[in-house]
Amino acid sequence: MSQPVKIKNALISVYYKDNLEPIIHELNRLNVQIYSTGGTETFIRNLGVSVVPVEDLTSYPSILGGRVKTLHPKIFGGILTRREHEGDQQQIAEYEIPEIDLVIVDLYPFEETVASGAAEEDVVEKIDIGGISLIRAAAKNFKDVTIMASKNDYNELENILKTQNGETTLAQRKAFARKAFHISSHYDSAIFNYFNREEPLQIFKQSIEPAQTLRYGENPHQQGIFYGDLNQLFDKLGGKELSYNNLVDVDAAVALIDEFEEPTVAILKHTNACGIASKNSISEAWEAALACDPVSAFGGVIITNGEVDAATATEISKLFFEVLIAPAYQEDAVKILTSKKNRIILLRKPIGLPSKLFKTLLNGVIEQDKDLVIEGPQQMQTVTEVKPTEQELKDLFFANKVVKHTKSNTIVLAKNSMLIASGVGQTSRVDALKQAIVKAETFGFDLQSSVMASDAFFPFPDCVEIAADAGISAILQPGGSIKDQDSIQMANQKHIAMVTTGVRHFKH
């Protein structure tokens, strides 16, 4: 059965008044008695609609600076009373408690206050007590009460009032209750995580909204959903919706490009850079990045840390790509890039990203800090007789940034702030190096005076020997193997430079 409930009495107490006016007028048309508090009461009265102050119902004023307004048996009794329960009905009659059939309430802006950088005292004052209690009470009694806990649902409520003559069905009330419990749990999670920053309890608690249904997951037979607000990060200037795989690549691209200050362009395939270069301009960086591996670049994700002009856009448009991300575009560049409707063109906004990473694993979740460390020339300790030149140090720094964002086991070869080749995701570091050398030679790169970076130490000297024989003149590795001296001795024997950083950058 639908179990319709006619709305006779409503309690309205909201922080945000957006789009509330049409609902007030509909309730007034339906002769619904409205109870309200503070600013909401004034808002309703200014619309020319009759409203009863909560204080008149409870016979208690708002006290403690507004901390206590609705916390009273005449309010919660009216919400929680069961219409078909004889004992409940006898008690509300005895204590002259009106049945409250509709509760419209929202919560103080806790998350917004935290995000503003407000002092703890101000944040604590935005922990709602009465509002959260009203939401839970009304949602619990959904069989008899309609709870409206978000202004996003006002249009739906307005339509119900207009088309159903002020009656709600059980299915509608239960659906609103489900949304209300989400709002209350999301709010509590935000409060917990705020208080759990210092000496944290080891408890994983996340609530992320909104959600976007994707075309499919990693493969067409898998469903996919993205939880989060992409509009905070990007303005989409053109193209289709981002897919699951697009999002994974975009995440990797953003993390990589943020390592670079010089004009840089990167091209990624399956989260790994197949081309990346830092040059004097974005146009030069694009030309060099594409030259790294023009075959793999086909269908890739492109990202840059500088403005894309019309000339660069024309060159980029010669390549089939899935996504292009930049912090700025010239107007003519946008016209060129959006001439093909399926290309996804994203304008990146300057917003910070979370410092924690987590993913599901087995029957739980693993969490870690993001790898935000990167070692420059100052952290590179020369361990060989031959010292790296200034250019080699610069290229080693470049290569170290790339290797940090490449799947392990990996080897990265670089020269003149440009990726020459990489060996990606190999089970053997020797295989990773051989793969990189073959790729570099395939695209005609001269490995003489190039540099090599490894995401982990060398337990054996074989990689050092292979690299030196290929013409590589300087090597970067974290060090830490009990056989470090074997690799250092091989580098000395081959008259090449080696530096260690003391930091490993695995990426699984």
Side-chain angles (χ1 to χ4, degrees), residues 7 19 47 73 113 120 133 187 224-225 275 287 307 309 314 337 343 349 354 358 381 388 396 454 456 471 477 495 497:
I7 298 173
N19 302 319
L47 295 175
T113 305
E120 183 175 288
S133 302
Y187 196 74
I225 301 174
E287 183 180 357
E307 182 182 63
D309 59 24
T314 299
L337 293 165
R343 291 170 172 167
K349 300 177 182 179
F358 60 87
Q381 180 181 355
L396 287 170
S454 170
Q477 55 126 333
H495 305 291

Side-chain angles (χ1 to χ4, degrees), residues 175-201:
F176 284 133
R178 180 174 63 246
K179 293 180 180 180
F181 281 126
H182 156 65
I183 288 170
S184 66
S185 65
H186 178 86
Y187 196 74
D188 285 339
S189 293
I191 294 170
F192 168 77
N193 285 326
Y194 174 79
F195 282 96
N196 201 43
R197 296 172 304 169
E198 298 176 10
E199 300 181 10
L201 301 173

Side-chain angles (χ1 to χ4, degrees), residues 76-254:
F76 283 87
I79 295 171
L80 288 166
T81 180
R82 291 160 290 188
R83 277 40 169 187
E84 297 179 358
H85 192 283
E86 185 177 348
D88 285 7
Q89 292 302 301
Q90 288 175 351
Q91 286 191 319
I92 67 168
E94 178 183 356
Y95 295 109
E96 298 180 338
I97 299 174
E99 292 178 343
I100 297 176
D101 315 294
L102 170 66
V103 175
I104 302 177
V105 63
D106 58 14
L107 300 170
Y108 293 155
F110 178 83
E111 289 180 279
E112 293 88 338
T113 305
V114 172
S116 73
E120 183 175 288
E121 180 180 355
D122 296 322
V123 171
V124 169
E125 283 305 309
K126 289 299 184 290
I127 298 175
D128 207 312
I129 304 301
I132 201 81
S133 302
L134 291 168
I135 288 173
R136 290 180 67 85
K140 175 179 179 176
N141 203 24
F142 68 87
K143 287 187 177 181
D144 300 308
V145 179
T146 300
I147 173 62
M148 182 61 44
S150 170
K151 61 184 179 181
N152 296 330
D153 295 323
Y154 284 0
N155 288 339
E156 185 177 354
L157 176 61
E158 182 185 354
N159 183 61
I160 289 172
L161 295 173
K162 285 181 176 179
T163 62
Q164 297 175 200
N165 198 33
E167 289 187 347
T168 60
T169 67
L170 177 60
Q172 288 168 338
R173 295 192 298 277
K174 192 170 185 178
F176 284 133
R178 180 174 63 246
K179 293 180 180 180
F181 281 126
H182 156 65
I183 288 170
S184 66
S185 65
H186 178 86
Y187 196 74
D188 285 339
S189 293
I191 294 170
F192 168 77
N193 285 326
Y194 174 79
F195 282 96
N196 201 43
R197 296 172 304 169
E198 298 176 10
E199 300 181 10
L201 301 173
Q202 291 189 337
I203 296 171
F204 182 81
K205 195 183 296 290
Q206 291 286 336
S207 178
I208 302 173
E209 57 179 4
Q212 176 182 335
T213 301
L214 305 174
R215 295 196 298 273
Y216 50 81
E218 202 162 6
N219 298 291
H221 61 275
Q222 297 169 269
Q223 291 185 335
I225 301 174
F226 173 74
Y227 295 97
D229 188 359
L230 289 174
N231 292 325
Q232 291 183 343
L233 297 174
F234 307 108
D235 285 332
K236 186 156 76 72
L237 306 182
K240 57 189 177 181
E241 293 301 316
L242 288 158
S243 69
Y244 181 99
N245 291 332
N246 289 155
L247 286 168
V248 174
D249 282 330
V250 167
D251 176 70
V254 167

Side-chain angles (χ1 to χ4, degrees), residues 245-445:
N245 291 332
N246 289 155
L247 286 168
V248 174
D249 282 330
V250 167
D251 176 70
V254 167
L256 174 60
I257 204 69
D258 282 352
E259 300 284 359
F260 296 88
E261 295 181 2
E262 311 93 324
T264 302
V265 174
I267 309 169
L268 287 87
K269 286 291 287 290
H270 308 298
T271 74
N272 295 303
C274 60
I276 181 169
S278 297
K279 298 296 178 182
N280 294 322
S281 68
I282 296 299
S283 177
E284 291 179 43
W286 162 251
E287 183 180 357
L290 180 61
C292 295
D293 184 349
V295 175
S296 297
F298 183 87
V301 169
I302 305 167
I303 190 165
T304 173
N305 60 1
E307 182 182 63
V308 176
D309 59 24
T312 306
T314 299
E315 292 302 313
I316 292 175
S317 291
K318 294 176 182 178
L319 176 74
F320 169 74
F321 63 88
E322 286 278 343
V323 184
L324 172 62
I325 310 162
Y329 298 88
Q330 289 184 358
E331 186 175 344
D332 288 345
V334 174
K335 293 177 182 178
I336 294 167
L337 293 165
T338 56
S339 61
K340 294 184 179 179
K341 63 179 183 179
N342 283 336
R343 291 170 172 167
I344 301 169
I345 310 300
L346 300 179
L347 174 67
R348 187 180 175 192
K349 300 177 182 179
I351 183 173
L353 294 171
S355 60
K356 295 282 187 179
L357 296 173
F358 60 87
K359 64 179 178 180
T360 58
L361 188 148
L362 299 174
N363 64 343
V365 173
I366 53 175
E367 179 185 81
Q368 67 171 348
D369 298 330
K370 274 188 177 178
D371 184 358
L372 299 176
V373 173
I374 189 66
E375 313 77 52
Q378 294 77 17
Q379 290 78 41
M380 297 177 190
Q381 180 181 355
T382 302
V383 292
T384 50
E385 296 167 357
V386 175
K387 295 183 178 181
T389 65
E390 184 175 342
Q391 181 61 49
E392 286 170 341
L393 283 172
K394 182 178 179 181
D395 286 339
L396 287 170
F397 187 28
F398 176 92
N400 197 30
K401 294 176 182 179
V402 179
V403 86
K404 172 183 168 181
H405 295 274
T406 307
K407 292 288 186 182
S408 302
N409 284 325
T410 182
I411 291 290
V412 166
L413 307 182
K415 186 175 182 180
N416 298 324
S417 298
M418 172 182 174
L419 177 66
I420 300 298
S422 59
V424 176
Q426 298 300 307
T427 54
S428 159
R429 201 159 301 278
V430 171
D431 287 343
L433 174 56
K434 289 180 177 179
Q435 181 190 62
I437 291 172
V438 169
K439 285 195 70 174
E441 291 173 345
T442 298
F443 292 109
F445 289 110

